[in-house]
Amino acid sequence: MRRTPQTIRLFTICSLLAFMFFTSAAASILSTVVKPSAMRHLKLDYSKPEAANQTNDLARNLTEKASEESSDVLKNTNILTIDGYGSITNWTAVSSILDNIRRLDEFHWNHNDAPPKNVLVALEGAHPDCKLFYELIFSNWDPWLKDARPIQIIDEEPDKETRALAREELVGSNSLYSIKTSIEYGASPNTESMAHLQRLIENATNLRQLDLSLSHSGCLVSHGQPSCFDFSTPETRFPPLKILKLSGYRFHGRIDGQDIWPTSRSRSQEHLRWPWKYLPEKVITNLPFEIFTWMSLEDVGDTKQNDTPNPMTNLEIWIEKMNWTALEELHVDSLSTRNLQLLAPFLRSLKSFSLDWATSQQAALLPGFLNNTTQDLEAVSLRNAKFDSLEPLFNVLVSRHSSSLKSLRLHEYDERRRVYCFENKDHPHCTNGRLSFWEDRPFINESHLVQLSSQCSNIEDLEFDIDRTLDSIAMEATIRQLGHLPRLKTLQLSFESPDFLREKTDQSNRTYRGDASRIDPLLNKTSILKIFHTIQEVQKERNQLSDKAESSTILELMNINIGSWEDRYEYGVGGPETEMRLLGHFECSAGENGTTKCTGQFRYNAWYGVDPESLSSNGLGFGEQEELDYDSL
């Protein structure tokens, strides 16, 4: 949700009622309470029965009791948010608030139900210029229904058809400005979810934002689960989007929205990883696409089918069906080298670019892509990109986007560079029965930060991985250099787990299951607070010597991850894929009057259950939160 300095999040109404009615009947509906004249953001909460009752009381007080205070709230509220469930929502009350608000600029729909017709009529009648930010939820689960099932299988909910019809009411709405949705496929065919989303997009002339995630749940795969849009109809057109976020979308799919099912001419043994590459060609030719993709080498999407009636890929036809020159933000999980080259000439308004995965071949193209953007970029996020060297990337950032860059995020998952010896038996590291090894990877160092601090003076948000093997002098210099970024406000640092480092450097075939570290030799509550404090101290020293506007900037928030923090609860069906590792996450923030507050914890990765009392890392217990006060150390 986009927030402005005037945005007020709502969670209590006590003080507001002191202004309005001198009563506390509708407490906890509005968040931070200020004078009514400053109110801009109103939230309608139907997530629980008690919250729904309070929201209904609020609606009555605002719309039925004429007072100077209620009139002031309705006059100054221009952002409205609703969330919750249909079984406890009073749609009449929602429509009444829409009718009485003087001017609504944004309506954020985070509700489990689609907007009913009476609400849409009230919205478009009273606020024709309002932007509707719609979170499209295909799940039909409502915990407050009397006959709700505790578990519902995807696409087999009892009221699926009724809810699908209700969602159609929004097709053709002039208010629809943004769509955020996730389509999760199960074991059964489901073509309607994607088709409904496409109907919304095609008929929403004012749509400017799309956030789509496509995924699959379970082990069974079915035909009839489209992973891209259907552009086969000549009249199909998409409105000019400004923000596009895609995850799980297959740009190399067919123009009719189906995956390319490669023939023997477009896929063979050479496309598959070990041991699948030894399958007979006849078996490979007839593999279901999802299984073929899972067995494939990276970047298989670059393979283009030449023996189909229409060889165009889904991305090629999408480029013709939408004006991509209006796009300002592009966030995708991956782009093949070919698709990156296809898109580049059309992204003339691009200001923010985010990529979650890139092979070595794709990463090598990224500096050139970033160097040739028409607009100066304000935000760059490259995650899990296998750069052989960071120098070409930084040279482009400081020479091409130095004055505009405000956010830079570079992160690589610990396991990203793992190489299995059964695929590389002749590699020098694959000796003595070793199962795998990790390729060397580049880290951001002090010289890179010197480049940023001297050339990219507008950076406010920074994320990168830091090499824990640096000696104390180099580590101190790297940390201190962060303080020379004049506008740095938020920082995220990632360190490899000490156990991961041990695995990388140990050339034997030893495993470390059940033998993880109990103490991180580098990071603890004292050293983490010192990092935060050191950056702030350098900033203060720099500010005293500067008379520029940014001279008052101080680091406000720092997050530190130790190891792949998400692994504390995620592992595959067959159990953990990695050895036992110590993980950690800490957050430090600057409080009022120069105080510092840090919270954090150490844990092991999933599957390795350990008694919380048995792990103590320099006073910070396993699996628990502890607030750290720098001044008390």
Side-chain angles (χ1 to χ4, degrees):
M1 182 185 302
R2 183 176 300 165
R3 303 188 185 282
T4 63
Q6 297 82 16
T7 299
I8 308 296
R9 295 196 63 234
L10 307 170
F11 86 149
T12 175
I13 196 169
C14 297
S15 299
L16 177 63
L17 291 178
F19 287 102
M20 295 173 61
F21 316 109
F22 302 98
T23 177
S24 58
S28 77
I29 298 305
L30 300 178
S31 61
T32 307
V33 178
V34 294
K35 293 181 179 180
S37 59
M39 185 64 64
R40 288 178 55 87
H41 189 178
L42 183 66
K43 179 177 179 180
L44 307 180
D45 186 357
Y46 288 99
S47 60
K48 299 179 180 179
E50 55 270 26
N53 291 334
Q54 293 168 353
T55 298
N56 292 333
D57 289 341
L58 172 66
R60 284 191 294 270
N61 288 331
L62 289 177
T63 60
E64 297 177 8
K65 296 184 179 181
S67 69
E68 181 178 349
E69 289 80 11
S70 62
S71 176
D72 200 22
V73 171
L74 293 169
K75 178 181 178 181
N76 291 284
T77 296
N78 53 18
I79 300 176
L80 182 65
T81 294
I82 182 171
D83 59 22
Y85 300 93
S87 62
I88 56 174
T89 300
N90 184 340
W91 296 118
T92 301
V94 175
S95 298
S96 179
I97 288 180
L98 286 171
D99 286 335
N100 284 275
I101 290 178
R102 303 291 178 83
R103 174 182 171 179
L104 194 62
D105 295 329
E106 297 181 8
F107 190 7
H108 295 261
W109 191 274
N110 305 328
H111 200 281
N112 193 59
D113 280 9
K117 188 172 183 178
N118 63 321
V119 172
L120 289 174
V121 170
L123 173 64
E124 297 186 352
H127 310 284
D129 297 324
C130 178
K131 297 176 180 178
L132 177 59
F133 292 75
Y134 178 40
E135 184 174 355
L136 171 57
I137 300 176
F138 286 102
S139 169
N140 300 327
W141 185 70
D142 187 332
W144 308 113
L145 284 174
K146 294 181 179 179
D147 58 347
R149 301 176 183 177
I151 298 177
Q152 295 189 92
I153 300 175
I154 296 175
D155 296 329
E156 296 184 15
E157 299 92 338
D159 56 348
K160 174 184 175 182
E161 298 300 328
T162 302
R163 291 173 60 86
L165 288 174
R167 286 193 288 265
E168 291 295 316
E169 292 289 348
L170 196 56
V171 174
S173 172
N174 291 324
S175 299
L176 191 56
Y177 181 84
S178 173
I179 299 176
K180 179 180 180 180
T181 190
S182 175
I183 299 177
E184 183 178 10
Y185 294 117
S188 304
N190 173 15
T191 59
E192 183 51 38
S193 294
M194 197 68 165
H196 170 70
L197 173 62
Q198 184 159 345
R199 286 194 294 274
L200 285 176
I201 297 172
E202 290 181 19
N203 293 281
T205 56
N206 294 317
L207 186 73
R208 295 298 178 266
Q209 300 179 8
L210 175 63
D211 185 343
L212 169 62
S213 174
L214 295 164
S215 61
H216 184 277
S217 177
C219 301
L220 300 179
V221 179
S222 169
H223 291 275
Q225 298 179 344
S227 54
C228 44
F229 292 117
D230 180 2
F231 294 112
S232 58
T233 305
E235 58 269 19
T236 299
R237 289 290 184 276
F238 274 17
L241 298 176
K242 290 185 176 181
I243 298 177
L244 178 60
K245 300 180 181 181
L246 296 172
S247 175
Y249 192 94
R250 297 197 184 279
F251 288 111
H252 55 278
R254 298 193 320 209
I255 66 171
D256 61 1
Q258 299 300 312
D259 279 321
I260 289 180
W261 291 70
T263 67
S264 58
R265 292 173 60 184
S266 61
R267 64 172 173 173
S268 62
Q269 291 175 332
E270 64 181 296
H271 296 137
L272 299 183
R273 294 182 285 114
W274 184 96
W276 319 116
K277 62 183 179 181
Y278 297 113
L279 290 171
E281 290 284 356
K282 185 175 182 180
V283 173
I284 295 175
T285 300
N286 292 286
L287 283 172
F289 184 81
E290 291 288 345
I291 296 178
F292 172 75
T293 303
W294 176 71
M295 295 178 176
S296 297
L297 297 167
E298 291 181 332
D299 223 13
V300 70
D302 282 338
T303 302
K304 187 171 180 179
Q305 193 173 5
N306 296 317
D307 55 351
T308 56
N310 190 336
M312 292 188 73
T313 65
N314 193 267
L315 177 60
E316 287 174 308
I317 194 68
W318 192 350
I319 289 174
E320 296 182 2
K321 298 291 187 176
M322 187 180 85
N323 179 11
W324 288 75
T325 61
L327 197 67
E328 297 178 1
E329 296 184 24
L330 177 62
H331 306 257
V332 291
D333 50 0
S334 64
L335 276 175
S336 69
T337 53
R338 183 173 182 275
N339 289 336
L340 187 64
Q341 292 168 332
L342 277 174
L343 271 179
F346 301 95
L347 303 178
R348 300 170 191 165
S349 300
L350 193 67
K351 297 179 180 179
S352 175
F353 178 69
S354 176
L355 188 66
D356 288 339
W357 188 270
T359 65
S360 297
Q361 183 183 11
Q362 295 161 0
L365 294 178
L366 288 173
F369 169 79
L370 297 175
N371 188 52
N372 292 320
T373 58
T374 304
Q375 298 290 330
D376 295 338
L377 294 178
E378 298 178 0
V380 175
S381 175
L382 304 174
R383 306 177 71 85
N384 299 308
K386 293 182 67 174
F387 288 105
D388 295 326
S389 170
L390 292 175
E391 270 60 38
L393 174 66
F394 272 80
N395 290 338
V396 168
L397 293 177
V398 300
S399 63
R400 177 66 181 79
H401 306 288
S402 58
S403 61
S404 60
L405 194 63
K406 296 180 180 179
S407 175
L408 176 62
R409 292 186 166 270
L410 302 173
H411 172 64
E412 192 171 318
Y413 177 63
D414 281 355
E415 292 288 319
R416 180 69 176 96
R417 305 234 176 187
R418 188 169 192 163
V419 178
Y420 290 96
C421 287
F422 52 69
E423 295 179 337
N424 300 269
K425 295 181 179 180
D426 297 329
H427 196 282
H429 289 311
C430 294
T431 57
N432 298 325
R434 189 172 176 84
L435 300 177
S436 62
F437 66 93
W438 283 266
E439 296 174 321
D440 291 335
R441 55 159 298 188
F443 286 92
I444 288 181
N445 55 37
E446 181 189 3
S447 64
H448 296 128
L449 296 177
V450 169
Q451 282 183 285
L452 290 182
S453 59
S454 61
Q455 301 294 327
C456 303
S457 59
N458 291 314
I459 288 184
E460 301 175 354
D461 173 58
L462 180 63
E463 175 187 2
F464 67 95
D465 305 332
I466 190 166
D467 186 359
R468 69 157 52 237
T469 65
L470 292 175
D471 60 45
S472 58
I473 296 177
M475 182 68 74
E476 176 76 10
T478 300
I479 297 301
R480 290 188 62 84
Q481 191 58 45
L482 288 167
H484 291 282
L485 289 164
R487 287 188 171 89
L488 184 65
K489 296 180 180 179
T490 60
L491 173 67
Q492 180 160 326
L493 300 175
S494 293
F495 293 81
E496 294 173 337
S497 166
D499 302 305
F500 178 73
L501 179 64
R502 178 175 59 173
E503 292 172 45
K504 287 203 306 181
T505 56
D506 190 344
Q507 296 300 314
S508 70
N509 195 34
R510 180 186 175 189
T511 60
Y512 294 95
R513 295 181 186 273
D515 188 26
S517 302
R518 290 177 175 270
I519 294 177
D520 189 319
L522 177 66
L523 298 163
N524 52 53
K525 64 182 182 181
T526 303
S527 60
I528 290 171
L529 279 166
K530 184 180 178 181
I531 292 173
F532 188 74
H533 183 73
T534 297
I535 297 172
Q536 286 190 323
E537 286 298 317
V538 175
Q539 286 180 315
K540 291 176 182 178
E541 293 172 2
R542 187 184 184 282
N543 292 343
Q544 292 175 355
L545 301 175
S546 175
D547 57 356
K548 295 182 179 181
E550 71 271 10
S551 61
S552 61
T553 300
I554 290 293
L555 184 65
E556 299 174 357
L557 180 66
M558 178 184 76
N559 282 281
I560 287 184
N561 284 339
I562 301 166
S564 298
W565 181 239
E566 60 272 18
D567 285 348
R568 70 194 184 279
Y569 56 79
E570 291 182 355
Y571 52 86
V573 175
E577 297 181 355
T578 62
E579 320 299 351
M580 186 176 183
R581 294 175 185 165
L582 182 69
L583 310 175
H585 173 74
F586 298 87
E587 180 179 296
C588 295
S589 58
E592 297 179 358
N593 302 319
T595 60
T596 300
K597 178 181 178 181
C598 288
T599 60
Q601 59 180 306
F602 282 104
R603 295 194 62 172
Y604 288 130
N605 47 333
W607 184 266
Y608 300 104
V610 178
D611 180 8
E613 299 299 326
S614 70
L615 177 67
S616 178
S617 298
N618 291 332
L620 197 59
F622 167 78
E624 63 186 35
Q625 292 274 352
E626 181 177 338
E627 292 187 6
L628 311 176
D629 182 3
Y630 181 85
D631 297 330
S632 68
L633 297 178

